Amino acid sequence: MNSKALIILGVVLVVITSIDLYAFKGIRLITENISPMYRQIATGIYWLFNTTVYLSLIWTVLNLDKFRLPEYTNIFFSISALLLMSIATKLVFNIFHGADDLAYMGSKVFHFFQNGSKVNPSGDTISRARFLTFVGAGLATIPLGAFAYGYTKGRFNFRVIRKNLSFKNLPKAFDGFKVIQISDIHIGSFPKGHESVAKAIEMINSRNPDIIVFTGDLVNNFASETDGWIEVFKNLKAKHGMYSILGNHDYGDYVQWDSATEKIQNLDAVKKANRDIGFDLLLNENRAIEIDGEKIGIVGVENWGLKPFPQFGDIDKANQGLGNVPFKILLSHDPSHWDEKVTDHKDMDLMLAGHTHGMQFGIEIPGIKWSPVQYKYPRWAGLYEKEDQKLYVNRGFGYHAYAGRIGMDPEITEIILKS
């Protein structure tokens, strides 16, 4: 391990230990009136959990060189979920536990500068401190429960979101045409053979789609992540075909390759995996779908994102030959493409994207739609419109960076086209 990694590990451990020690002060306060045996049990459980976090963090730093290898992905993402759960829970607890300490210290400083006198805590200081600490303990169960749910169930809790989208120029033969969209599979993040993936495919097929579109990020980095999964995804069925594009992760840009040739070979293998599944992979290309003599176009571009993401997508090239087709669906991985380029192409009636995952964390209830990712991506989940054009951003099939989803379930989008 190099000196920089050691310094980072040391700083992180100091910060986390400081948070833990202050939280432990609160634990001691709220357990002071229980029997010594139960108090010791509570203390033991608390430090056993923290020791697990410390050892996991140390192991992560010692094995950073393996971070992007498929066989280590689940371990790293699970550790990140554990770390986030630990920090979020204790921070909520410490805010309330520390409120009385801050108030007391503020009063002490104020009186010192006021008259130099000492301040004695009021008779109810301990009871008030205990009350606030109990409140903090109760509220801390919210992030604790949320992260536990996100890890154990949320990341596998697929939901179908149904949208009826009307277009003036949709050919009548396509009225009621059903498009199923999935995005950001990140198959290397799933435990090998996990039953949730097969169940999600059953959910898709049960919708009896006319077409299935996949808007990129089949893998995290390596084509080998698809080993054992191709046969599972081959079960996808659609009446008029399945179409896919590449996402930013599919290009292998986040890995140090031994040679440029190795990187190209990996990308070729990712493309082959798309085709082996049954997707018609569109690389700045298009296809026309015909029903009763009428046509719509499926336009697929390579990844285009705001820098430093690659900008391989070429709408003009992808659109060649579709001049007489009255309605077009554009598949583009990154929703940034919409504002930067797509709205200048008025013949792209509907754009389907993914990429953001809804940050795998957010709140979506009637009247409230929020996620931290919205501060980076204004179009981050759901439907957006500008004049006659529409954009739909899928929240993602898989997960990345941490093994969990909180308030942002994995999504299968069912779009019904209406004329």
Side-chain angles (χ1 to χ4, degrees), residues 244-350:
S244 71
I245 56 173
L246 298 177
N248 55 296
H249 280 267
D250 294 321
Y251 294 89
D253 290 337
Y254 306 106
V255 175
Q256 291 292 329
W257 300 95
D258 291 335
S259 66
T261 300
E262 186 181 14
K263 182 180 179 182
I264 293 171
Q265 290 173 343
N266 184 74
L267 177 57
D268 288 341
V270 171
K271 293 175 182 177
K272 182 177 184 299
N274 273 268
R275 294 171 179 135
D276 287 345
I277 288 170
F279 288 123
D280 185 354
L281 179 63
L282 303 180
L283 304 170
N284 293 324
E285 300 171 276
N286 66 72
R287 302 289 185 266
I289 299 174
E290 182 173 348
I291 298 177
D292 296 336
E294 296 184 302
K295 295 180 180 180
I296 65 171
I298 308 296
V299 180
V301 295
E302 293 199 56
N303 189 63
W304 193 103
L306 294 175
K307 293 185 176 179
F309 292 111
Q311 298 180 340
F312 300 136
D314 187 332
I315 297 177
D316 292 327
K317 179 181 177 182
N319 198 27
Q320 288 177 4
L322 284 182
N324 295 324
V325 176
F327 181 87
K328 297 170 186 175
I329 299 173
L330 173 66
L331 310 181
S332 183
H333 179 69
D334 192 322
S336 303
H337 201 193
W338 164 265
D339 287 309
E340 296 294 324
K341 297 287 184 180
V342 176
T343 54
D344 292 332
H345 293 76
K346 301 301 182 184
D347 58 338
M348 296 297 144
D349 302 283
L350 171 63

Side-chain angles (χ1 to χ4, degrees), residues 63-363:
N63 291 276
L64 276 178
D65 58 319
K66 301 169 183 168
F67 174 68
R68 305 203 184 273
L69 298 179
E71 57 269 31
Y72 286 87
T73 299
N74 281 302
I75 299 174
F76 280 109
F77 289 178
S78 295
I79 289 173
S80 68
L82 176 69
L83 185 60
L84 285 170
M85 179 179 70
S86 175
I87 293 174
T89 301
K90 289 165 190 167
L91 283 177
V92 170
F93 178 65
N94 284 348
I95 286 171
F96 286 86
H97 170 55
D100 189 71
D101 288 342
L102 287 174
Y104 173 66
M105 290 300 297
S107 176
K108 190 171 183 179
V109 171
F110 174 79
H111 282 84
F112 175 81
F113 286 105
Q114 188 80 359
N115 53 28
S117 62
K118 293 183 179 180
V119 177
N120 292 318
S122 60
D124 67 341
T125 298
I126 295 299
S127 61
R128 182 175 62 196
R130 291 189 76 235
F131 170 75
L132 289 172
T133 302
F134 272 113
V135 171
L139 292 176
T141 61
I142 296 175
L144 177 65
F147 275 97
Y149 170 84
Y151 177 77
T152 58
K153 187 175 180 181
R155 57 179 168 152
F156 307 126
N157 188 35
F158 290 92
R159 62 170 174 163
V160 176
I161 296 181
R162 192 173 188 270
K163 294 288 181 181
N164 291 316
L165 302 183
S166 297
F167 299 89
K168 297 175 184 177
N169 56 323
L170 181 72
K172 290 184 178 179
F174 289 86
D175 186 38
F177 193 79
K178 184 181 292 185
V179 180
I180 291 290
Q181 180 198 7
I182 55 176
S183 191
D184 300 88
I185 291 174
H186 289 282
I187 197 59
S189 299
F190 286 90
K192 279 292 184 183
H194 199 276
E195 62 182 9
S196 64
V197 177
K199 288 182 178 179
I201 289 171
E202 290 176 7
M203 290 173 66
I204 293 170
N205 289 337
S206 71
R207 314 305 288 192
N208 197 24
D210 287 298
I211 62 171
I212 296 172
V213 298
F214 168 53
T215 46
D217 278 359
L218 177 62
V219 298
N220 294 322
N221 299 290
F222 297 94
S224 60
E225 296 169 36
T226 63
D227 293 347
W229 288 111
I230 300 294
E231 293 301 318
V232 178
F233 280 95
K234 272 186 176 180
N235 291 315
L236 287 169
K237 305 294 180 186
K239 299 174 191 174
H240 297 281
M242 307 196 303
Y243 306 91
S244 71
I245 56 173
L246 298 177
N248 55 296
H249 280 267
D250 294 321
Y251 294 89
D253 290 337
Y254 306 106
V255 175
Q256 291 292 329
W257 300 95
D258 291 335
S259 66
T261 300
E262 186 181 14
K263 182 180 179 182
I264 293 171
Q265 290 173 343
N266 184 74
L267 177 57
D268 288 341
V270 171
K271 293 175 182 177
K272 182 177 184 299
N274 273 268
R275 294 171 179 135
D276 287 345
I277 288 170
F279 288 123
D280 185 354
L281 179 63
L282 303 180
L283 304 170
N284 293 324
E285 300 171 276
N286 66 72
R287 302 289 185 266
I289 299 174
E290 182 173 348
I291 298 177
D292 296 336
E294 296 184 302
K295 295 180 180 180
I296 65 171
I298 308 296
V299 180
V301 295
E302 293 199 56
N303 189 63
W304 193 103
L306 294 175
K307 293 185 176 179
F309 292 111
Q311 298 180 340
F312 300 136
D314 187 332
I315 297 177
D316 292 327
K317 179 181 177 182
N319 198 27
Q320 288 177 4
L322 284 182
N324 295 324
V325 176
F327 181 87
K328 297 170 186 175
I329 299 173
L330 173 66
L331 310 181
S332 183
H333 179 69
D334 192 322
S336 303
H337 201 193
W338 164 265
D339 287 309
E340 296 294 324
K341 297 287 184 180
V342 176
T343 54
D344 292 332
H345 293 76
K346 301 301 182 184
D347 58 338
M348 296 297 144
D349 302 283
L350 171 63
M351 173 175 158
L352 301 178
H355 183 61
T356 72
H357 301 202
M359 204 174 171
Q360 296 165 218
F361 174 82
I363 300 171

